[in-house]
Amino acid sequence: MPLILGIETSCDETAAAVVEDGRLVRSSIVWSQHETHAPFGGVVPELAARAHVERIDTVVTDALVAADTTVRELDAVAVTHGPGLAGALLVGVAAAKGVAVGAGIPLVAVNHLEAHVHANAVDDDAFAPPAIALLVSGGHTMLLDVTVAADGTWEFDLVGQSVDDAAGEAYDKVARFLGLGYPGGPEIDALAATGDPEAVVLPRAMRNQGYDFSFSGLKTAVVQAVRRSDAAGTPLPPRDVAAGFQAAAVDVLVDKTVKAARERGRETVVIAGGVAANSRLRAQLASECEAAGLAWTMPSVPLCQDNAVMVAACADRPAEIGRFASLDVGVEPSLAIAKAKRI
Ligand code: KG4
Ligand code: ZN
């Protein structure tokens, strides 16, 4: 019955949360640095690390106070140690080690990608693998076959992934091209809701080719469509470009997810990562799962974006079975998803 403090600093959110038994959220504090990075149109690693340093103590204290607990009552402290920005990860890992030593409690090192998938079990306490997971974030686009290992931890087999840009990266790049704010995903999502998804038809890359994805060609197609119509003196409305881009991206993501579940005999589909907050992806996944007779789960929007609840949830089973990290555990900026063997 572990009570776990989770800490997350892999990118541009400084977050801490207290979670009981992997599902009961006692507190969740997320300090977003979006305003720091917005003027640069993307995350500046050095600024991210510095902003984490400035915020981490307050965020951790706030999480403990909001949970009405102290470090003495905790069973473990869990921290994201990769993948992510090295300097940013270091801040969270150092803070977690400080708590572990100070309170005399064990440390659990968490993989950020696995944590995203675990967010599905927080909101839906009926959910447990096996399932096909679509993980779509700023740095990753992956289809994973998730199962439960003999020791109760989750295992992830890699079914497919992007061969170039991640889905979130494509959203951010297209948003920048359209002159929208950072991060671009929510901006495109909102603008697309006012546009016609069929007015600008864009390619569905690799739609019928296995389980891998490609998004860099889609971004180029957006640029070419806009330039062509500008040159012809008939500029495309940005809302239609956003809607057309989003429809093309979501069609491929949903198609391949449903196909993977069917072909691998899984009855449940989950989504995870920042792009899983996308309104069209959520709606289309639900309707296509319904049509295919599949069950689906998706985290609430705040749990799709980077947060520390998912980190504590991911550490629950490892803490129960005593799979702790040594106090000299380092950051792993390129950490792969555990056991992600290609199948
Ligand atoms: O998981 P996340 O918070 O951070 C990483 O681990 O990368 O994902 C951030 C990504 C960004 O690319 C952001 O633009 C995208 O998620 N995103 C969205 C939406 N909200 C965030 N993309 C599409 N639609 C959204 N509503
Ligand atoms: Zn993330």
Side-chain angles (χ1 to χ4, degrees):
M1 305 285 121
L3 183 68
I4 298 182
L5 169 68
I7 295 178
E8 158 64 44
T9 63
S10 67
C11 189
D12 58 347
E13 266 85 27
T14 315
V18 176
V19 179
E20 203 174 327
D21 298 336
R23 296 187 196 267
L24 180 64
V25 180
R26 297 263 299 260
S27 67
S28 176
I29 309 288
V30 180
W31 180 269
S32 168
Q33 307 174 358
H34 292 170
E35 280 174 21
T36 305
H37 304 290
F40 304 95
V43 178
V44 183
E46 183 55 37
L47 294 181
R50 211 178 306 158
H52 285 308
V53 170
E54 282 164 13
R55 282 284 151 195
I56 187 73
D57 286 349
T58 315
V59 166
V60 168
T61 306
D62 287 355
L64 292 167
V65 170
D68 193 22
T69 191
T70 65
V71 287
R72 307 258 157 238
E73 289 179 77
L74 298 172
D75 295 300
V77 52
V79 64
T80 300
H81 76 129
L85 303 169
L89 290 163
L90 266 172
V91 179
V93 169
K97 288 178 183 175
V99 172
V101 172
I105 54 172
L107 181 69
V108 181
V110 169
N111 179 316
H112 182 79
L113 306 177
E114 295 182 18
H116 268 302
V117 181
H118 273 268
N120 283 283
V122 175
D123 280 339
D124 179 353
D125 57 9
F127 171 71
I132 290 293
L134 172 68
L135 173 62
V136 269
S137 72
H140 296 84
T141 301
M142 292 174 161
L143 269 173
L144 298 158
D145 193 0
V146 192
T147 50
V148 181
D151 63 10
T153 59
W154 295 4
E155 284 187 336
F156 302 84
D157 283 333
L158 184 63
V159 179
Q161 64 185 332
S162 176
V163 296
D164 42 51
D165 291 355
E169 195 179 347
Y171 266 92
D172 293 335
K173 286 179 175 169
V174 169
R176 207 176 312 155
F177 174 69
L178 294 177
L180 304 173
Y182 173 83
E187 301 261 338
I188 292 202
D189 198 355
L191 185 61
T194 66
D196 174 0
E198 279 155 29
V200 185
V201 179
L202 294 160
R204 271 71 175 156
M206 299 176 74
R207 191 174 197 167
N208 300 312
Q209 292 167 44
Y211 295 112
D212 283 343
F213 303 92
S214 167
F215 291 106
S216 73
L218 176 56
K219 176 204 64 199
T220 308
V222 167
V223 172
Q224 284 170 344
V226 168
R227 296 217 167 117
R228 215 179 304 124
S229 52
D230 284 353
T234 51
L236 295 168
R239 61 176 182 278
D240 289 344
V241 178
F245 161 75
Q246 178 155 285
V250 168
D251 273 359
V252 183
L253 290 170
V254 171
D255 259 26
K256 297 205 180 204
T257 307
V258 169
K259 189 168 77 162
R262 273 205 183 128
E263 290 185 1
R264 300 188 62 83
R266 299 299 183 213
E267 289 170 2
T268 305
V269 162
V270 303
I271 55 175
V275 183
N278 186 263
S279 58
R280 186 176 178 101
L281 175 60
R282 295 171 82 87
Q284 198 162 316
L285 188 88
S287 68
E288 294 198 17
C289 282
E290 174 96 52
L294 296 166
W296 70 94
T297 291
M298 39 187 92
S300 63
V301 168
L303 286 190
C304 291
Q305 280 136 13
D306 285 351
N307 66 85
V309 169
M310 66 187 195
V311 177
C314 186
D316 189 71
R317 187 65 193 155
E320 270 180 351
I321 61 174
R323 190 187 290 171
F324 298 117
S326 129
L327 277 177
D328 56 18
V329 67
V331 299
E332 302 269 358
S334 311
L335 187 64
I337 196 153
K339 292 194 151 191
K341 58 179 185 292
R342 186 80 184 208
I343 45 177

